[in-house]
Amino acid sequence: MNDRDAAPKRTRRPTMVDVARSAGVSVKTVSRVVNGVSTVDPALRERVGLAMRELGFRRNSVAANLRSGRSTATIGLIILDLANPFYSTIAAAAARVAQRFDTQLFTASSGWDAQRETELAMDLCQRRVDGLIIVPTGEDQSYLRAETDQGTPVVFVDRPPTGIEGDAVLIDNRGGARTAVQRLLTEGHDRIGIVTDSLNSWTMSERLAGAREELEAAGVADRARFVETPSDAPGVAGDAVARMLGEASPPTAILCGNNRILSGAVGEVVRRGARVRLAGFDDFEFAHLLPYPVTVVGYDTASLGRFAAELLFRRIREPEISFSSTIVATYLVDRGIAAAAPC
Amino acid sequence: MNDRDAAPKRTRRPTMVDVARSAGVSVKTVSRVVNGVSTVDPALRERVGLAMRELGFRRNSVAANLRSGRSTATIGLIILDLANPFYSTIAAAAARVAQRFDTQLFTASSGWDAQRETELAMDLCQRRVDGLIIVPTGEDQSYLRAETDQGTPVVFVDRPPTGIEGDAVLIDNRGGARTAVQRLLTEGHDRIGIVTDSLNSWTMSERLAGAREELEAAGVADRARFVETPSDAPGVAGDAVARMLGEASPPTAILCGNNRILSGAVGEVVRRGARVRLAGFDDFEFAHLLPYPVTVVGYDTASLGRFAAELLFRRIREPEISFSSTIVATYLVDRGIAAAAPC
DNA sequence: CCCCTGAGAAACAACGTTGTCTCAGATTAC
DNA sequence: GTAATCTGAGACAACGTTGTTTCTCAGGGG
């Protein structure tokens, strides 16, 4: 016998059988006590409670759910990147709703990988989550049909699903872009530049479409410049702005498709001391610290997560209601500081 | 009979029994096919696979885990607020490690509520997570002893546990404060102000202790000013700085206990056009946009989450190794812009 | 005194899966 | 040709819990 000195801490967790044996009652009586059934003799209840505390019993809710056929009280959230404040805000808002429903939240990041998105969704369905909230990244979510058909509801956030119908919660990107362009037009700008990143994403193409609609409505679309930059390279936004401003009759105002592009644009404009009206998307934290005045299209990110979770729980309870799309409104807000004091 | 027109989509998910009946084999054979056991006749394997696809069978991994006694392949993460970038960075890093181990992550926020922390931990233990990562908020984590005794490992992050021993991953707050003060001393400052928020938190008291140690080592502690502000009120940091600077012989350098205090201090210093050396903690995103030069104590937040998760998985595999504390290093970095171009 | 009633607890089966054992049929060795 | 070996599949029980049914034993009325 070459056992360790210390008794091994890691003992099997006690089950209702252990508690029942210790208290000298049947397993079912333990179950009744745990579930607070009122028809248990107070003396027995006391004995069982004592045994539970002594053994440190904690009900295995996994087994309980399996037997009773109740829901697992879990939902899954598949976002693109939990480290990104936009998505973590969505996650936090969804978690808050889940808490109201005594439900735990699986949070997983697909990392813009459609294959990974599929794997995660399948894994979570195997774990029998009550529902899924997905920020879709792939071209096609039809792989989810088998799951939705079998009663696992799915709500899509920030991008509409492709290849399958379903509930969605979206930002009014198109309307936001229209409002922003409208503001620039009202201020007298008629040579407007639009800088986007990859138009493969629904979000960006909606923003471009909205801007274009408004420019065309004002009859100044032919004087506009449109530039699409690659999505993830840093500095390219600044280069694009530099090229725009170097043209013969450069735009007097530039609308940037997201906050990264806006940051790059601000950097370039400040560097060359140019006087260009800048507007952009995403009212990120610290936007007010930008060293140049800008107008941004803002929206309440937390609403996305909250609405999505509420929609999901509603559909869990009422699977037969027809699909709905919730559009989160946008607003214009002025950010950036006019000047900063030198040290 | 008053059934709905459409066939109800929500049908019970098919089980191995259904697949077995459909394929004309025993349940065990279905299990073997699902688990890729090699001793199955290819013809049967084909029949079973067909039946699975037809029915849209997806193994219930909850039931599988229950029977086989294997782990649930889930871990729980209890942080203070998922919407806070500091904690969401930790969560993202932990999730990345969990993914390597084919484990799903429950993410929950305690919201600085010790009661809620306890409830969440108990709930996750009832769900038989393989382990917990906790950013403790309460005064006492001894309630976890029952769980750790029964083999649910816990790793603490960002703050050491109280009332219980355990693995921890912490920031070198004390060392960071010493380094920052050292820098200020080296630059010739000997009247140094220290602004903290509530010293109830381990983090803040460590930072203060480190600063005090260094000031005392240099023999300038008597010329220093110490101010503790309430934790969550905005603007109080600026007020504290204002009061400091209004004194007879004001400090020439101020060390701020966290990024919120530093922001307030920058605002106040810029407003009054003062020339005060500012330093602080937390190298937050956009710190480089601060309209005033500052030096901050930085650290790799993702390391906290990554180390914690790796430690947890190690302990899950080897429960008997002795507890360890991992200290994440800090570094000094200069941030803030000297000047910004006016529009 | 006996039967009926009902409260409270135990016995049994089941949730969906897998571990263990058994068995039928094919293959090999003597 | 028969016994020993092996291969592959089914039967059965079990994981930890709960729904359902059955049982026991007071208490009360005829």
Side-chain angles (χ1 to χ4, degrees), chain A residues 12-289:
Chain A
R12 189 175 57 77
R13 291 192 88 110
T15 72
M16 284 192 179
V17 177
D18 301 317
V19 176
R21 188 160 32 224
S22 166
V25 298
S26 80
V27 189
K28 184 63 203 189
T29 298
V30 177
S31 170
R32 277 190 273 257
V33 171
V34 168
N35 290 4
V37 173
S38 60
T39 65
V40 179
D41 188 292
L44 280 194
R45 184 192 305 281
E46 189 51 41
R47 283 229 308 277
V48 170
L50 193 69
M52 292 202 310
R53 279 190 295 278
E54 256 177 12
L55 296 173
F57 171 80
R58 187 107 32 220
R59 171 176 61 178
N60 183 334
S61 60
V62 170
N65 286 332
L66 175 63
R67 175 60 184 98
S68 64
R70 277 196 301 266
S71 81
T72 54
T74 55
I75 62 174
L77 173 68
I78 302 177
I79 55 185
L80 301 185
D81 178 18
L82 187 52
N84 181 322
F86 176 71
Y87 297 111
S88 67
T89 302
I90 291 176
R96 203 179 305 271
V97 175
Q99 180 178 329
R100 285 211 326 258
F101 288 87
D102 290 322
T103 293
Q104 289 291 346
L105 182 70
F106 279 121
T107 315
S109 300
S110 66
W112 288 268
D113 178 346
Q115 176 66 29
R116 176 105 189 105
E117 171 191 318
T118 305
E119 289 168 7
L120 284 171
M122 293 300 125
D123 183 81
L124 292 171
C125 285
Q126 290 203 171
R127 293 167 188 270
R128 294 297 187 269
V129 293
D130 299 340
L132 285 172
I133 301 174
I134 300 184
V135 178
T137 187
E139 298 283 306
D140 178 30
Q141 279 71 48
S142 61
Y143 68 91
L144 284 168
R145 186 147 339 169
E147 312 308 321
T148 56
D149 281 355
Q150 293 186 359
T152 302
V154 180
V155 173
F156 298 93
V157 184
D158 193 41
R159 301 154 187 218
T162 314
I164 187 176
E165 280 192 287
D167 295 304
V169 181
L170 305 167
I171 296 173
D172 184 18
N173 289 300
R174 189 178 291 241
R178 294 193 66 146
T179 320
V181 169
Q182 210 166 8
R183 162 80 76 94
L184 300 179
L185 292 169
T186 305
E187 289 173 357
H189 299 279
D190 59 352
R191 291 199 311 280
I192 296 179
I194 313 281
V195 184
T196 63
D197 67 9
S198 166
L199 292 172
N200 287 339
S201 87
W202 177 83
T203 299
M204 204 49 73
S205 58
E206 280 290 298
R207 289 175 182 177
L208 176 60
R212 199 184 287 272
E213 279 172 17
E214 199 65 24
L215 291 168
E216 280 168 359
V220 298
D222 52 340
R223 262 167 289 177
R225 298 277 176 286
F226 300 93
V227 179
E228 176 185 354
T229 68
S231 265
D232 38 7
V236 293
D239 297 348
V241 170
R243 240 175 298 121
M244 261 191 187
L245 297 181
E247 288 179 6
S249 57
T252 60
I254 298 179
L255 174 64
C256 302
N258 64 25
N259 56 9
R260 218 161 353 94
I261 295 171
L262 180 61
S263 288
V266 166
E268 180 63 25
V269 167
V270 167
R271 177 150 3 113
R272 57 167 65 201
R275 268 196 97 226
V276 182
R277 180 73 168 94
L278 288 181
F281 267 85
D282 313 325
D283 184 21
F284 55 106
E285 205 188 350
F286 303 107
H288 62 279
L289 291 179

Side-chain angles (χ1 to χ4, degrees), chain B residues 286-301:
Chain B
F286 303 106
H288 63 278
L289 291 179
L290 283 175
Y292 191 87
V294 298
T295 296
V296 296
V297 179
Y299 44 82
D300 184 22
T301 308

